[in-house]
Amino acid sequence: MRTFFSSALLLFSFALAAQQMPLSQEEIWNNSVTITLPAYRVAQWTGDAVLFTGDAPNSQGSLILSVSTKSGKMETLPKLPATTPPAQPQMPKVNGVNPAFSPDFTYVAYTRNNDLYTLRLSDHTETRLTFDGSDVVLNGYASWVYMEEILGRASAYRSFWWSPDSKHLAFFRSDDSEVPLFTITDAPHQQAGYAETMRYPKSGNPLPKVQAGMVAPDGGDIVWAQVEAPDPFYLALPYWRPDGKALWIQWSNREQNHLQILEANITSGATRLIYEERQDTWINIDREPRIKFLESGKGFILSSDKSGWQQLYLYDMDGNLLSSITNGEYTVLNVLRIDEKEKYVYFTCYKDNIGCEDFYKASFDGKKLQRLTFGHYTHRINMSPDGKFFVTTYSNVGSPPQVALCNNQGKVICTVQDTKTPDFDRYQRPQVEFTTIKSADGKFDLPLRIIYPLNMNPDKKYPVALSVYGGPGSMSARDGWMMNAFGGLVHQYAQDGLMQVTIDHRGSGHNGKVGQNEMYRNLGYWEIRDYTQCVEWLVANKQADPAKIFISGFSYGGYITSYALTCGAETFTHGIAGGSVTDWLLYDATYTERYMNTPAENPEGYTKSAVLTYADKLKGTLLLTHGLRDDNVHAQNTFELVGLLEEYNKTFELMLYPENRHGYRGNKSIHSRNNDIRFIYKYLIEKPVPVQALLRPN
């Protein structure tokens, strides 16, 4: 077992807390006691200084701090120096959605009624580029499943991309005619009720048929990329080559275990293979950015987890592997800078300490790897535009954030800020521990973050609240400072004797693709096995009450929660499951089949992974919640489980939110939060709810 706190240090922390002043109810909820300040934020890099904005230590308002990159000398400025913003015209009003300027600001592209248009700004000429848009043919506007599972919600359904030279637009054309319709119903103030339909491919259903087209902004013939593969397949995010002379397309088979990057000629649409990858499980076709081009146009850096860990590889523009830039059992996160002159890549990663993010640089040839950050901390990095310096804001669960200025060799030039205030050591706060335990089969380290109750009695058992998400590759337990552990609901829970725990299983991001691969065709099984192992350790070592093991989560976390209260009923006693998948037959094909294959290929896996299979085992206290208009995880999932629980004469609680989708908004969100708090106090803490803990509706 690896733990941040040694036993002696943790005992010392508990002893110190006992000598500190407790917070009153008023102080918990009105933020009248401040133990840390917000960390300074980088506002601007200049030639020889970095400028920060933040709150002044004496609570006298905001400040602007200039720090010399040469000497570390600091001075306060009255205001930020004036800068000349880049010239950019105001976005004109267009009759369409998702307007986007061309790189040279001569055009705006947008979609209307599922067709693609441009507006030439010099004379306000509108050009229609596609002519077959309909309710099932979408040009430049993504099908729902593409937005949700491939392009990402930030795309807002936009599926067109300007070339760097502004001479072409690439776009996806999606034919959804074979994708089944799903009907969502509600009843808000209408005698006839409410119904809407959407094209939603569930596991095993037909997929959207997608093509990649290229067209000039003033119109003309569309050039279609020639993808020589039978349907069904996926196209993931395309990349324009930096010179704008070709489009790189990411193709994947339906199984999502075979990836090709194809270069499409903008004149003929002919394609050639640049890169190909196969894996025994799956390839994340939604993982971006996969490619970063070199400024010289002579190659690109590819990010891939084909080794079992996310690593970086250097290729030439013909797809020939030149070198492995990184190599090892750790996860590369984000590339912050590519220094082509010195042949180094700067990136963040999980490498030295589980749960901690670090900053590294590696040479193009993979022979030189250097850690630039320090200590056992999570580092948040802001690098200067010239790559010579960086600012790190670093912390762990026991140390509040500090801000430091460093050079690109990792040398600390100066500490800019320690966020501690004079009240930091005066007041009692919950002790937070980050630790790991071994999985039951000894193969993986499972991270936990524990917020302990205040003033723990060694002869007493304490209820446990587990917060989970649990989807493949996700991470919840991190080794960083938790501001909300002081004051507010987290502190109130600790004061009232609730042990708050966050756990990650083997398939989280901590253990790379190696750990995630264990979930293949078998969702739910290892998550519950690993969570159970952690709960048993908490009971044996941390005074956890086995009669009060509460778990909660939303979406995939709702799935895990309802699965835990049924399949894991011998361990988990209470739960709140929101927006839950209860049977993977009911969720979208792109996400589900990535991990489970189709129902025809893996019928046993679908049965074993379904909450519905274990509905008869429920014996704890389960609250189910769902938005009636949820267009992501349909409320059908919860209703299917409700029907079975009723058939088995099981007692459960149900809360529905009309007019709400995947996540609750406005007063419905306030109601859901308050209802969750009441549940925790009723069944776990067994005390009246503090009146300050409940929000009032707007």
Side-chain angles (χ1 to χ4, degrees):
M1 182 184 72
R2 205 271 322 156
T3 179
F4 175 75
F5 286 110
S6 68
S7 299
L9 180 57
L10 192 59
L11 289 172
F12 172 77
S13 300
F14 283 132
L16 178 62
Q19 301 172 19
Q20 295 168 328
M21 297 169 57
L23 287 181
S24 66
Q25 283 288 298
E26 181 180 358
E27 289 168 333
I28 288 175
W29 291 104
N30 67 9
N31 297 317
S32 60
V33 176
T34 302
I35 64 168
T36 62
L37 292 170
Y40 293 163
R41 303 171 298 281
V42 173
Q44 184 179 323
W45 290 92
T46 67
D48 56 3
V50 55
L51 307 183
F52 295 87
T53 58
D55 296 331
N58 56 8
S59 300
Q60 297 301 309
S62 60
L63 61 76
I64 299 165
L65 188 67
S66 175
V67 182
S68 168
T69 54
K70 295 181 179 179
S71 65
K73 181 181 178 181
M74 304 181 197
E75 60 176 325
T76 303
L77 303 180
K79 62 180 181 178
L80 283 171
T83 58
T84 303
Q88 178 175 329
Q90 183 176 359
M91 179 65 72
K93 291 184 178 180
V94 296
N95 181 16
V97 296
N98 293 325
F101 280 116
S102 60
D104 64 3
F105 299 107
T106 58
Y107 294 89
V108 173
Y110 48 94
T111 58
R112 180 166 72 239
N113 297 329
N114 293 329
D115 273 315
L116 184 61
Y117 291 77
T118 58
L119 181 71
R120 189 168 59 218
L121 298 180
S122 61
D123 58 6
H124 290 273
T125 297
E126 183 182 75
T127 302
R128 184 176 180 178
L129 304 179
T130 65
F131 296 88
D132 61 347
S134 69
D135 61 339
V136 293
V137 174
L138 294 72
N139 294 288
Y141 193 87
S143 175
W144 181 89
V145 77
Y146 264 71
M147 177 280 299
E148 177 66 24
E149 306 297 4
I150 297 177
L151 301 178
R153 296 177 192 174
S155 71
Y157 292 90
R158 182 169 74 88
S159 63
F160 63 83
W161 303 270
W162 281 103
S163 64
D165 59 7
S166 302
K167 294 181 179 179
H168 290 87
L169 275 161
F171 68 97
F172 283 170
R173 177 188 184 273
S174 180
D175 180 351
D176 285 20
S177 58
E178 295 183 10
V179 178
L181 281 169
F182 185 84
T183 302
I184 296 172
T185 59
D186 200 349
H189 319 299
Q190 297 179 24
Q191 288 184 342
Y194 170 92
E196 67 175 88
T197 58
M198 63 182 298
R199 297 282 173 174
Y200 188 105
K202 299 202 173 188
S203 303
N205 286 170
L207 301 172
K209 294 180 179 180
V210 178
Q211 297 172 275
M214 297 166 283
V215 64
D218 287 324
D221 292 339
I222 296 171
V223 177
W224 299 103
Q226 298 172 14
V227 178
E228 303 298 331
D231 286 328
F233 59 77
Y234 294 104
L235 297 182
L237 183 73
Y239 295 85
W240 279 104
R241 212 168 66 180
D243 59 11
K245 294 181 178 179
L247 181 71
W248 284 17
I249 297 167
Q250 296 188 81
W251 171 94
S252 171
N253 60 345
R254 179 167 188 154
E255 291 78 8
Q256 300 178 62
N257 59 8
H258 182 195
L259 172 73
Q260 291 183 342
I261 297 176
L262 305 170
E263 181 178 270
N265 184 285
I266 59 174
T267 302
S268 67
T271 58
R272 67 176 182 126
L273 181 65
I274 297 294
Y275 173 79
E276 187 168 30
E277 177 178 324
R278 286 182 168 89
Q279 292 196 32
D280 292 335
T281 56
W282 72 86
I283 299 169
N284 288 296
I285 61 174
D286 63 334
R287 177 158 294 164
E288 300 300 339
R290 192 184 309 276
I291 292 172
K292 284 189 175 289
F293 290 105
L294 302 183
E295 288 187 0
S296 66
K298 294 181 179 179
F300 64 96
I301 291 174
L302 177 95
S303 179
S304 171
D305 59 13
K306 59 187 176 182
S307 70
W309 298 88
Q310 197 75 24
Q311 299 292 319
L312 302 176
Y313 303 87
L314 179 64
Y315 289 82
D316 68 19
M317 292 299 286
D318 291 319
N320 298 307
L321 177 64
L322 302 178
S323 62
S324 297
I325 299 173
T326 60
N327 183 27
E329 295 183 354
Y330 61 93
T331 297
V332 173
L333 298 171
N334 299 306
V335 173
L336 272 62
R337 180 178 177 81
I338 300 171
D339 187 338
E340 198 169 351
K341 180 180 178 181
E342 299 296 329
K343 292 183 169 50
Y344 271 96
V345 180
Y346 293 81
F347 59 91
T348 57
C349 63
Y350 290 112
K351 184 179 185 299
D352 296 277
N353 305 298
I354 193 167
C356 291
E357 187 173 330
D358 271 301
F359 188 40
Y360 270 77
K361 69 176 181 179
S363 58
F364 277 14
D365 61 10
K367 295 180 180 179
K368 298 177 182 177
L369 180 69
Q370 181 182 350
R371 185 187 184 198
L372 301 176
T373 44
F374 47 83
H376 195 120
Y377 302 103
T378 286
H379 291 264
R380 303 300 184 206
I381 304 299
N382 186 304
M383 199 169 193
S384 65
D386 61 10
K388 294 181 179 179
F389 304 95
F390 68 90
V391 169
T392 174
T393 303
Y394 60 97
S395 70
N396 56 41
V397 295
S399 305
Q402 296 190 61
V403 181
L405 172 65
C406 309
N407 66 21
N408 64 3
Q409 297 301 312
K411 179 182 178 181
V412 177
I413 296 171
C414 67
T415 297
V416 177
Q417 181 194 23
D418 184 338
T419 62
K420 287 183 183 179
T421 72
D423 284 335
F424 184 83
D425 290 321
R426 295 177 186 169
Y427 286 88
Q428 194 177 45
R429 61 183 184 277
Q431 297 304 311
V432 186
E433 180 182 10
F434 185 91
T435 188
T436 63
I437 68 167
K438 278 292 181 186
S439 59
D441 57 7
K443 293 171 64 175
F444 297 98
D445 291 323
L446 308 176
L448 297 84
R449 186 182 63 216
I450 308 168
I451 304 174
Y452 289 98
L454 288 166
N455 305 317
M456 289 182 72
N457 181 340
D459 297 322
K460 183 179 177 182
K461 297 289 186 180
Y462 291 88
V464 173
L466 305 177
S467 174
V468 301
Y469 178 70
S474 65
M475 284 191 294
S476 300
R478 302 173 190 265
D479 196 353
W481 178 253
M482 291 185 62
M483 183 67 177
N484 64 352
F486 186 83
L489 189 59
V490 173
H491 190 100
Q492 184 71 59
Y493 280 157
Q495 191 176 83
D496 287 334
L498 185 66
M499 186 183 301
Q500 301 162 76
V501 182
T502 304
I503 303 174
D504 280 324
H505 54 73
R506 68 187 60 205
S508 67
H510 298 283
N511 290 301
K513 186 67 185 306
V514 173
Q516 295 171 48
N517 286 342
E518 302 240 332
M519 302 174 70
Y520 190 52
R521 294 167 58 93
N522 198 22
L523 292 180
Y525 177 79
W526 284 113
E527 296 97 302
I528 297 303
R529 284 284 301 274
D530 290 344
Y531 290 153
T532 297
Q533 172 76 356
C534 292
V535 168
E536 290 174 350
W537 180 83
L538 289 168
V539 170
N541 297 278
K542 299 295 180 179
Q543 298 177 235
D545 185 349
K548 292 183 177 181
I549 304 298
F550 167 77
I551 183 170
S552 66
F554 196 92
S555 195
Y556 198 101
Y559 162 64
I560 289 298
T561 296
S562 52
Y563 199 83
L565 266 289
T566 52
C567 182
E570 297 304 315
T571 300
F572 300 92
T573 63
H574 299 77
I576 301 177
S580 312
V581 176
T582 62
D583 189 331
W584 290 106
L585 291 170
L586 304 178
Y587 196 54
D588 79 62
T590 306
Y591 184 91
T592 303
E593 293 174 13
R594 185 179 301 161
Y595 311 116
M596 293 290 289
N597 297 145
T598 65
E601 294 166 324
N602 185 21
E604 183 180 1
Y606 274 81
T607 299
K608 288 184 176 179
S609 68
V611 178
L612 304 182
T613 302
Y614 310 97
D616 63 323
K617 297 183 181 299
L618 175 68
K619 60 181 182 180
T621 305
L622 175 61
L623 166 62
L624 299 168
T625 79
H626 221 117
L628 286 181
R629 294 193 196 179
D630 194 329
D631 58 354
N632 184 345
V633 181
H634 299 143
Q636 172 193 28
N637 283 267
T638 289
F639 294 157
E640 290 273 4
L641 179 56
V642 164
L644 275 179
L645 293 176
E646 291 169 345
E647 290 291 332
Y648 292 127
N649 197 30
K650 298 293 183 178
T651 300
F652 62 94
E653 299 181 14
L654 176 66
M655 189 63 66
L656 301 176
Y657 290 98
E659 301 180 71
N660 272 247
R661 297 196 185 271
H662 198 57
Y664 314 135
R665 304 290 183 265
N667 284 340
K668 298 291 199 303
S669 175
I670 292 172
H671 181 277
S672 176
R673 175 190 179 276
N674 288 347
N675 199 49
D676 291 354
I677 293 170
R678 293 188 184 100
F679 183 100
I680 288 171
Y681 271 89
K682 178 179 180 180
Y683 294 115
L684 302 174
I685 298 174
E686 296 182 334
K687 293 180 181 178
V689 181
V691 64
Q692 298 95 332
L694 300 178
L695 297 179
R696 294 184 178 181
N698 297 319

